[in-house]
Amino acid sequence: MAVTGFRGRGVALAVLIATVVVAVLVVVSHVLLSQVTAADANALAHTRAEAVSANVSVRNGHVVLVEGGNEALDTVSWVYADGHLIDGIVPGRVLARVEALAGSGPSQTTTVGNDLLYSQPIQLEGHRVVAIVKVDLTPYETSEQRSLAMALILGGISILLAGVVAYLMVGRALRVVHDMAALADDWGDHEPGRRFNLGVPRDEFGELGRTLDRLLGRIDNALADERRLTDEIAHELRTPLTALRCEAQLAQLSGHPLAPESVLTEVDRLNTAITTLLGAARTRSDGGTRCDLRAAARQAIAGRSIELAVPTEVEVAVATELVVAVLSPLLENGLRHASSRVWVTARVQPQGVAMNVLDDGPGFDPAEVDRVFDAGVTSGNGHGLGLAVVRRLAASAGVAVRAIADGHGRVEVTFPTPEVVA
């Protein structure tokens, strides 16, 4: 229905424009034709008057005509000398106007009904002579009417053709949109990952197809991001839940009550995992947020045996909570894999503050360094949040994080500074 409505509006607009154009052309052509016919009628009247004037002369003191006595001219031309008709037969319907012209001084043109009357004075010594001619305007008016009718007919045909062409062209253009909509509906049910792939845009519909491809790509990425979040939640919550189940089964088999400390520890880990994952899903970078990096790092260490070598009075353009959330999993990962030592360093660079979490453990496998932040990838037995959540938290705040394979455990986190954000 929407397509039909758009097609109807397009056709109506085309017909309206064609009607306006045709109307203007008809009016302009009719005005021009009227001026041309009027000029032709006046030219014929002047020619007749000149012909009559050439045949007027004076003999023996009287004004006479030296023509051959053409009776046809007597009904369309008349000669008045000193106020008296000396040649021609004046019809009664124009008699009064002809006599008025005969008594006038200069040349005059007037219209009586369908007749054009023209008076022209003749210079003869001692006499006042006026030649008056008549031109029948009926043929000219008939020609104008026929031309107007023909213009209206051709204009109507042009308007009709414009409507038909607009209907066909709009329908053909909208067929592309209709096909795209049908394909999109079908993909939504069977192949959500497909794209239109119309190639290099050659018109507006090609631009539309490319824009929709980009939109579908962003939607697909968002859905994939949500699937990754679900996978991360499932991965990170499985460890504390498994620990709780093991503690409960051991208590059941041994007959001893469940140790409150172990339950509370696993519940705290579970709560931390949920809180951090939800924060990763909701966090957005705010250009006005900043914190002291050394103080945030101390909060993340929280009394653990970790060396801190971070300069004082270094600010980063992220919230304290996010720095703690990013560093805590990295510190826990370092403690789990270190042989004896974990330490944190930081240095200010033009692109931000690069903080390194290091340990003297075996470090990362160079072949796996690009996969350590994927959900489910781990080495050894660990609890708490994984590196996949660190990557999600970092991406949400514009923080760069990467693992470095240099023989020991090393993860570099680059926090933006307020100057870089500004």
Side-chain angles (χ1 to χ4, degrees):
M1 186 64 67
V3 174
T4 303
F6 181 81
R7 176 185 291 182
R9 291 192 295 272
V11 172
L13 179 61
V15 170
L16 177 61
I17 294 175
T19 301
V20 172
V21 172
V22 168
V24 171
L25 292 178
V26 168
V27 171
V28 171
S29 62
H30 183 67
V31 170
L32 293 177
L33 181 61
S34 298
Q35 293 178 349
V36 170
T37 54
D40 290 343
N42 287 329
L44 179 59
H46 291 175
T47 301
R48 288 182 176 178
E50 291 293 338
V52 172
S53 300
N55 292 326
V56 177
S57 62
V58 178
R59 291 181 181 177
N60 301 324
H62 298 284
V63 178
V64 297
L65 268 71
V66 293
E67 61 180 356
N70 190 342
E71 296 181 356
L73 294 177
D74 291 344
T75 58
V76 296
S77 62
W78 312 282
V79 177
Y80 280 81
D82 300 324
H84 299 286
L85 178 65
I86 63 172
D87 184 71
I89 303 172
V90 182
R93 67 178 184 279
V94 297
L95 178 60
R97 190 56 184 163
V98 168
E99 291 180 349
L101 291 174
S104 62
S107 300
Q108 289 189 18
T109 302
T110 186
T111 302
V112 179
N114 292 331
D115 296 324
L116 174 68
L117 301 179
Y118 173 67
S119 64
Q120 177 176 304
I122 302 174
Q123 300 297 329
L124 291 178
E125 184 178 355
H127 299 277
R128 183 173 177 276
V129 182
V130 178
I132 303 173
V133 297
K134 176 177 74 72
V135 176
D136 187 3
L137 298 178
T138 301
Y140 299 98
E141 294 179 353
T142 301
S143 177
E144 290 182 17
Q145 293 173 358
R146 290 177 178 175
S147 299
L148 179 61
M150 185 62 66
L152 292 175
I153 293 173
L154 294 177
I157 294 175
S158 300
I159 294 173
L160 180 61
L161 289 176
V164 172
V165 171
Y167 182 86
L168 295 176
M169 293 299 294
V170 173
R172 181 178 179 182
L174 292 180
R175 189 181 302 115
V176 177
V177 178
H178 178 74
D179 293 342
M180 291 171 62
L183 287 174
D185 289 338
D186 184 63
W187 297 344
D189 296 332
H190 305 94
E191 300 175 88
R194 287 192 58 183
R195 300 292 182 267
F196 296 110
N197 293 327
L198 299 180
V200 179
R202 292 179 295 180
D203 52 22
E204 290 80 359
F205 294 105
E207 292 284 352
L208 175 61
R210 185 170 65 176
T211 301
L212 290 178
D213 281 344
R214 293 173 179 171
L215 177 61
L216 290 172
R218 289 194 293 270
I219 294 174
D220 195 29
N221 291 336
L223 293 176
D225 192 56
E226 294 302 320
R227 288 193 295 269
R228 285 193 297 269
L229 176 61
T230 303
D231 293 340
E232 292 168 5
I233 291 175
H235 172 71
E236 300 302 333
L237 300 187
R238 185 181 296 112
T239 299
L241 288 175
T242 301
L244 283 174
R245 180 177 180 84
C246 291
E247 292 289 343
Q249 288 177 338
L250 287 174
Q252 184 181 24
L253 292 174
S254 63
H256 297 292
L258 189 62
E261 295 80 4
S262 62
V263 174
L264 291 175
T265 299
E266 298 304 329
V267 169
D268 288 341
R269 288 175 178 174
L270 187 61
N271 181 67
T272 302
I274 294 173
T275 302
T276 307
L277 285 168
L278 290 177
R282 298 171 180 171
T283 301
R284 293 293 182 271
S285 177
D286 185 356
T289 302
R290 62 180 62 191
C291 73
D292 183 86
L293 183 60
R294 183 179 178 86
R298 285 185 177 277
Q299 184 176 341
I301 292 174
R304 289 178 284 194
S305 180
I306 298 175
E307 301 175 24
L308 181 62
V310 177
T312 58
E313 299 181 357
V314 175
E315 289 189 335
V316 293
V318 294
T320 301
E321 295 80 4
L322 190 138
V323 175
V324 174
V326 169
L327 290 181
S328 295
L330 299 178
L331 295 174
E332 184 176 347
N333 185 73
L335 289 171
R336 188 163 58 250
H337 296 92
S339 297
S340 61
R341 180 187 176 210
V342 177
W343 68 101
V344 179
T345 64
R347 65 183 185 279
V348 179
Q349 298 178 333
Q351 65 270 25
V353 180
M355 175 174 279
N356 287 273
V357 178
L358 306 104
D359 64 77
D360 57 358
F364 299 102
D365 184 351
E368 301 291 332
V369 72
D370 294 330
R371 296 184 60 249
V372 297
F373 294 100
D374 294 341
V377 176
T378 183
S379 60
N381 297 321
H383 300 292
L385 300 177
L387 297 183
V389 178
V390 174
R391 180 180 60 181
R392 176 179 289 277
L393 285 168
S396 67
V399 176
V401 58
R402 66 190 181 106
I404 301 175
D406 59 356
H408 295 285
R410 179 183 176 188
V411 177
E412 182 181 82
V413 183
T414 303
F415 295 99
T417 60
E419 295 78 11
V420 173
V421 173

